[in-house]
Amino acid sequence: MKRIAIQGEIGSYHDVASHRYFEHEEVSLLCCDTFEQVFASMKADTDVIGMIAIENTIAGSLLHNYELLRESGMQIVGEHKLRISHSIMCLPDEDWDDITEVNSHPVALMQCRDFLKRHPRLKVVETDDTAGAAKTISENQLGGHAAICSKFVAGIYGMKLLEEGIETNKHNFTRFLVIANPATAPQLTRHININKASIVFTLAHTEGQLSQVLSIFSFYQINLTKIQSLPIIGKEWEYMFYVDITFKDYQRYRQSIDATRPLTTNLSILGEYEDGKSTI
């Protein structure tokens, strides 16, 4: 059985992503209130695997999770890209005319902006988790409240599904990272096709330094799928670069890393894994 630490409640998108990624295995979830608690759970038990959202095609990157990952020393062992489709639900004995307030995570609310504009009478209240909003409404029998979350939540907490697919943009995907303790990471990547890596490095604040690094990856036919810069606190105008790369030849990828090291500072490989598939 895989023990997975996630941010959110049962029925959250982290829950869905965990079961999709480990679809042929039994999964036990450790539900955490924050991403910090996810990493704390992994540090407390090296067998616990983490599933964390890292970017969304609409909302962008979760910058804080990059920092948590780097500081934790955990390794990326996989990824999953999940199609995010939001639904609105309420208590089973209520209907549209009864709803006066809608609760959800701020990102989910933002992704349903057009839907909410069409219902201006609804008071919008932010919560820590999509599924958690439905759970709170159900457990406390909060009449007049509705939750925006995954459609799968309705059956879990006994809610009535009012409408599906209320997100503004139907091309809405979240990329989740599967992370593990370095001691157990090799067991999880043993039988996969490693063709992607995530690295982080800093550069001297000199002209053309980043372009030289990018030229090296180009020479070795390494494809950059994402580059994210974050400021280094206490060092004005200096940045840390988080880079995702894909490759067909593992040996050439390793050669590109060796060629890049002299031009960078503190280069670390956050994980080597298989380019994740997308599911709906």
Side-chain angles (χ1 to χ4, degrees), residues 146-158:
I148 290 178
C149 47
S150 166
K151 64 181 180 181
F152 302 109
V153 173
I156 296 173
Y157 299 114

Side-chain angles (χ1 to χ4, degrees), residues 174-193:
T174 293
R175 177 174 167 242
F176 295 86
L177 296 180
V178 186
I179 54 178
N181 188 284
T184 57
Q187 303 171 24
L188 297 168
T189 57
R190 186 175 302 159
H191 302 297
I192 65 173
N193 174 35

